[in-house]
Amino acid sequence: MKHTLYYMSVILLIICGTIAYAVHDEDKGPEKFGNYEFKEQDIKAATDACEAGGKPGPEYVPTVRDKQPNLALLKDAKPDASSQLNGWCPQRHCIEYLNDGFYNNCRSWIIGTLPGWAQIDIGAVANVNTIYFGSDHSQGFLDRMAKDFDILVATVKADADSEANTWKKVYTHKGDNISKTTEFTFDDVEARWVRVHIRSNAGTRIDEIEIYGGGDPMAVDPTNKMTIVWGQIKANIK
């Protein structure tokens, strides 16, 4: 009887732990995909620096998802934000953790002041139609969720003012809290900067921003497009 109770207790602990959060243990993605080269993902260094507080530590973010390169993880991609929560970085919640290649709380960003934003500079204009983000991929923490935000894109300037006419709004979300890593899709659009503009929910956390736009999204070349169009116009004038 004692042994039965013991084993039942162990099973309950395992079940409860599974309900609280799930460690996904994703494999490391490829370092290259065609002509696309990604940031180094040193999970040992990330784990050593992590103060997880008993929750899951860093987990790999995919460099390639559904045969599409993650533009946020390109070598030249750079993160930025309007603010960050004071008193934690570099242990956690840093701007640079928006696209460092690792999920979960200790590799997340938390906004400091509302309204505000987090963004990724891809490094060049690309086709974009999907982003992924969440509050805590492992669900070890079920707080600080985004619920009222826009997704904006720009090609020529990342103005600090999200209302500037250089930004194009491609998605608006009002309603459900975004806790798990969630997919947001919109029509194909050219973008160099992709921004999540947050209007409410103080202390919103994003553990990673992923950006996708097809199998070869950086085949977009606006300069050449303009040259071709102007050449055609001149030919027609003649």
Side-chain angles (χ1 to χ4, degrees), residues 65-155:
R65 186 190 281 271
D66 299 327
K67 298 182 180 180
Q68 299 181 51
N70 180 358
L71 300 174
L73 284 185
L74 294 179
K75 276 190 171 183
D76 294 331
K78 296 178 176 62
D80 198 4
S82 56
S83 64
Q84 68 183 23
L85 185 67
N86 291 329
W88 284 103
C89 189
Q91 289 86 355
R92 61 184 81 161
H93 311 322
C94 304
I95 291 172
E96 56 262 39
Y97 293 165
L98 283 164
N99 71 331
D100 68 331
F102 298 105
Y103 292 123
N104 297 338
N105 181 65
C106 69
R107 303 296 288 193
S108 71
W109 164 81
I110 292 179
I111 196 169
T113 305
L114 288 174
W117 47 265
Q119 71 183 32
I120 305 296
D121 175 0
I122 296 169
V125 174
N127 184 74
V128 173
N129 55 32
T130 303
I131 78 167
Y132 286 78
F133 77 86
S135 173
D136 185 16
H137 187 69
S138 70
Q139 297 293 277
F141 290 90
L142 300 175
D143 60 351
R144 299 183 177 277
M145 293 174 276
K147 62 180 180 181
D148 182 9
F149 60 88
D150 294 323
I151 298 172
L152 311 172
V153 299
T155 57

Side-chain angles (χ1 to χ4, degrees), residues 145-227:
M145 293 174 276
K147 62 180 180 181
D148 182 9
F149 60 88
D150 294 323
I151 298 172
L152 311 172
V153 299
T155 57
V156 296
K157 181 182 179 183
D159 200 296
D161 181 3
S162 294
E163 297 296 325
N165 61 13
T166 52
W167 290 104
K168 178 180 180 179
K169 188 184 298 183
V170 295
Y171 191 97
T172 294
H173 181 92
K174 293 185 178 182
D176 295 340
N177 290 331
I178 304 303
S179 181
K180 297 179 180 180
T181 301
T182 303
E183 178 184 22
F184 302 93
T185 61
F186 40 87
D187 292 339
D188 287 325
V189 64
E190 291 181 2
R192 172 171 171 173
W193 293 272
V194 179
R195 173 178 290 186
V196 180
H197 179 82
I198 301 164
R199 285 184 291 270
S200 66
N201 204 5
T204 291
R205 174 178 54 233
I206 294 178
D207 68 352
E208 189 83 6
I209 295 176
E210 303 172 49
I211 304 171
Y212 301 92
D216 190 10
M218 298 190 91
V220 170
D221 191 343
T223 302
N224 284 345
K225 284 183 180 178
M226 290 299 293
T227 301

